[in-house]
Amino acid sequence: MPYDPSAFPPFAVTVDLVVLTVRRHALCALVVRRGESPYQGRWALPGGFVRIEEDLGAAAARELTEETGLHVQGPDDRHTGAHLEQLATYGDPGRDPRMRVVSVAHLVLAPDLPTPTAGGDADSVRWAPVDSLLPPGQPCGDGPDRSGGQPDPLAFDHSRILADGVERARSKIEYSSLATAFCPPEFTVGELRRVYEAVWGVALDPRNFHRKVTGTPGFLVPTGGTTTRQGGRPAQLFRAGGATVLNPPMLRPDV
Amino acid sequence: MPYDPSAFPPFAVTVDLVVLTVRRHALCALVVRRGESPYQGRWALPGGFVRIEEDLGAAAARELTEETGLHVQGPDDRHTGAHLEQLATYGDPGRDPRMRVVSVAHLVLAPDLPTPTAGGDADSVRWAPVDSLLPPGQPCGDGPDRSGGQPDPLAFDHSRILADGVERARSKIEYSSLATAFCPPEFTVGELRRVYEAVWGVALDPRNFHRKVTGTPGFLVPTGGTTTRQGGRPAQLFRAGGATVLNPPMLRPDV
DNA sequence: ACAAAAGTGTTGGATTTACACCCATGA
DNA sequence: TCATGGGTGTAAATCCAACACTTTTGT
């Protein structure tokens, strides 16, 4: 290794955030409008520089709070706040025209909440349906190229990061209890089902879904309360149980 | 964001490699002996600095070749070389006492091959069974605890990186065709089964395993040849098929 | 009464498991 | 001939998809 560590090449390290929620039966991502060049005026994922004495996860949590007011769920704290996990790292030379930037992308799953107001400016941040941000039929698909090429709506390589985050969310709710991170602290089986339907983009049988989730040990614990906020017969309320991995997993149709 | 991009904090960016193979019915990882401080003389994962005009994956492939002579499987090239994918990024301040280093770990799955000879020194690189490198009974939580609490055998935070890589490999062979990356270009069903048994640390029924893998579309394609290198009745030889995702998945017992 | 959503029962088909049994080779 | 690993058949248990049907509310 003919490489001198004391002369290591300097990189800028940032975190980018794929913040997902389910609103009005659609999977949505948080995007912010860029105020500066490059890509001025374009939408981008929230993010920023990692500070020199700051852990990567801490930087992601800080940026999340700064840009959305959301807080991250502590390890002890059972479901007050959002789920955060590292997604992947993007370091292509030239992904930022200004300098060599390595970005550690993180994935955040948040319950539906009032439209966030950024640190200062209000209409420079919004929830956008992922279908409107991503080329259609992309993620699961493997086939040849389709969608004859509208302009990429997101700055930098953020479309790819978003696609990776959406794909991660789609597969993780299959074998983990993470779908509850999209729900308020107390929720019904029907609300949880609508999360799965929105994230996967499929319709699920309500009867079989109910049996499945209530029969998976540790997934849901009843609170005793009921609600009629969805109309119809009152539904039991549940909280997320202690299980993190689902056994048996939820089965996504076809694929 | 009161942050001046022109004064971004400088980071060193490295790649670390979790290189796994199956030898003598055990899952093994590649480790190198450190020649310099800190952790001088201790075993560590191979890795090195990312060059200033180099993509992250390219840096990982370069380090792999430099330290082991292994080559990475091209996207077109069907199974000549190893599988490489990004694993996760580790950037805790203080993980390297010399400076702020963010390391993008990569996972490599390689077939069993003659003991690698590093760029120069021969006995400073070796295959070590992961059971001997990791705290006992940790991930899969199978056997009783063995080797009660020696000091951490790997430098830096490499034990954690290795554990994450092993866990990724264990779960990925379940729903992808990646187990074939541990096999030579042509292999038998029994050899593939021994890969699963070594990685998962379980015994599988040979009859049901055979039916399952040969019945999963796109997983294996017969070459027409046979071999008796395992003894007993001649076994058909197979190559990896085009499928990357396994449907239905292989099922890991209990869990 | 009616619509809407929650939940339970049942049934046929698919999948999984466990294991009996046969096949083809080397020693 | 025996030991060894390769491979097929089969039956019980289990799981899952589909859907008929009942329950409990709001209007």
Side-chain angles (χ1 to χ4, degrees):
Chain A
M1 269 168 288
Y3 227 80
D4 179 4
S6 65
F8 68 91
F11 289 75
V13 176
T14 62
V15 289
D16 284 325
L17 297 177
V18 177
V19 188
L20 300 180
T21 196
V22 174
R23 320 192 77 204
R24 286 182 275 112
H25 212 273
L27 183 64
C28 295
L30 193 71
V31 288
V32 300
R33 200 191 296 274
R34 284 186 59 78
E36 8 178 301
S37 191
Y39 298 100
Q40 185 168 16
R42 296 274 290 279
W43 295 99
L45 299 178
F49 286 91
V50 177
R51 296 181 178 162
I52 197 63
E53 280 298 342
E54 184 180 47
D55 192 15
L56 301 173
R62 172 179 56 75
E63 290 286 345
L64 179 67
T65 302
E66 283 180 11
E67 308 219 28
T68 72
L70 268 172
H71 286 270
V72 166
Q73 186 172 2
D76 51 334
D77 180 15
R78 188 136 302 285
H79 206 95
T80 311
H83 167 86
L84 182 145
E85 68 179 47
Q86 194 187 106
L87 177 58
T89 299
Y90 301 82
D92 197 50
R95 62 182 291 277
D96 187 320
R98 296 165 295 180
M99 55 184 151
R100 182 69 196 267
V101 179
V102 168
S103 181
V104 184
H106 289 252
L107 177 64
V108 176
L109 308 186
D112 191 8
L113 31 83
T115 307
T117 54
D121 29 15
D123 61 6
S124 68
V125 55
R126 70 181 185 104
W127 292 110
V130 299
D131 293 343
S132 72
L133 297 173
L134 253 24
Q138 195 202 358
C140 258
D142 14 48
D145 75 312
R146 48 197 155 255
S147 86
Q150 308 150 291
D152 192 338
L154 290 183
F156 302 110
D157 52 0
H158 288 186
S159 286
R160 174 155 172 242
I161 299 175
L162 175 62
D164 290 347
V166 168
E167 184 49 35
R168 171 90 133 248
R170 286 192 172 133
S171 64
K172 264 203 121 160
I173 65 172
E174 199 163 357
Y175 57 89
S176 81
S177 62
L178 270 184
T180 59
F182 287 117
C183 294
E186 297 199 350
F187 54 90
T188 69
V189 171
E191 289 162 349
L192 183 63
R193 174 171 50 82
R194 280 179 274 278
V195 164
Y196 275 92
E197 291 178 330
V199 176
W200 285 344
V202 299
L204 300 174
D205 185 299
R207 289 81 56 103
N208 293 333
F209 183 88
H210 185 280
R211 225 192 321 265
K212 182 106 184 200
V213 295
T214 55
T216 298
F219 194 6
L220 302 182
V221 297
T223 68
T226 62
T227 181
T228 63
R229 62 185 173 225
Q230 300 291 343
R233 168 176 166 180
Q236 281 183 267
L237 285 168
F238 293 87
R239 259 196 307 272
T244 60
V245 52
L246 256 36
N247 197 324
M250 304 297 297
L251 290 186
R252 176 154 42 155
D254 48 273
V255 178
Chain B
M1 271 165 286
Y3 227 78
D4 180 4
S6 65
F8 69 90
F11 289 76
V13 176
T14 61
V15 288
D16 284 324
L17 298 176
V18 177
V19 188
L20 300 179
T21 197
V22 174
R23 322 191 75 203
R24 287 181 274 111
H25 212 273
L27 183 62
C28 294
L30 193 71
V31 288
V32 300
R33 200 192 295 274
R34 284 187 58 78
E36 4 176 305
S37 191
Y39 298 100
Q40 185 169 16
R42 297 274 290 279
W43 296 100
L45 299 178
F49 286 92
V50 177
R51 296 181 179 162
I52 197 63
E53 281 297 342
E54 185 180 47
D55 192 15
L56 301 174
R62 172 179 55 75
E63 291 286 345
L64 179 67
T65 303
E66 283 179 13
E67 308 219 28
T68 71
L70 269 171
H71 286 269
V72 166
Q73 187 172 0
D76 51 333
D77 179 13
R78 186 135 305 286
H79 206 92
T80 311
H83 166 86
L84 182 146
E85 68 179 49
Q86 194 186 107
L87 177 58
T89 299
Y90 301 83
D92 197 51
R95 63 182 291 278
D96 187 319
R98 295 165 294 181
M99 56 185 148
R100 182 70 197 267
V101 179
V102 168
S103 181
V104 185
H106 289 252
L107 178 64
V108 175
L109 307 186
D112 190 7
L113 33 81
T115 307
T117 54
D121 28 14
D123 59 9
S124 68
V125 54
R126 70 182 185 102
W127 292 110
V130 297
D131 292 342
S132 71
L133 296 174
L134 254 25
Q138 193 195 338
C140 242
D142 25 36
D145 74 314
R146 47 213 164 239
S147 77
Q150 309 150 287
D152 193 339
L154 290 183
F156 303 110
D157 51 0
H158 287 186
S159 286
R160 176 159 169 237
I161 299 175
L162 174 63
D164 290 346
V166 168
E167 185 50 35
R168 172 90 133 248
R170 284 191 172 135
S171 65
K172 262 204 124 161
I173 64 172
E174 199 163 358
Y175 57 88
S176 82
S177 62
L178 270 184
T180 59
F182 286 118
C183 295
E186 298 200 348
F187 54 89
T188 70
V189 171
E191 289 163 348
L192 183 64
R193 175 172 48 81
R194 279 179 275 278
V195 164
Y196 276 91
E197 291 178 331
V199 176
W200 285 345
V202 299
L204 300 174
D205 185 300
R207 290 83 55 106
N208 293 333
F209 183 87
H210 185 281
R211 227 191 321 264
K212 181 108 185 198
V213 295
T214 56
T216 298
F219 194 5
L220 302 182
V221 297
T223 68
T226 62
T227 182
T228 63
R229 62 184 173 224
Q230 300 290 343
R233 167 177 167 178
Q236 282 183 266
L237 285 169
F238 293 87
R239 261 195 306 272
T244 60
V245 52
L246 257 36
N247 196 325
M250 304 297 299
L251 290 186
R252 176 154 41 156
D254 46 274
V255 178

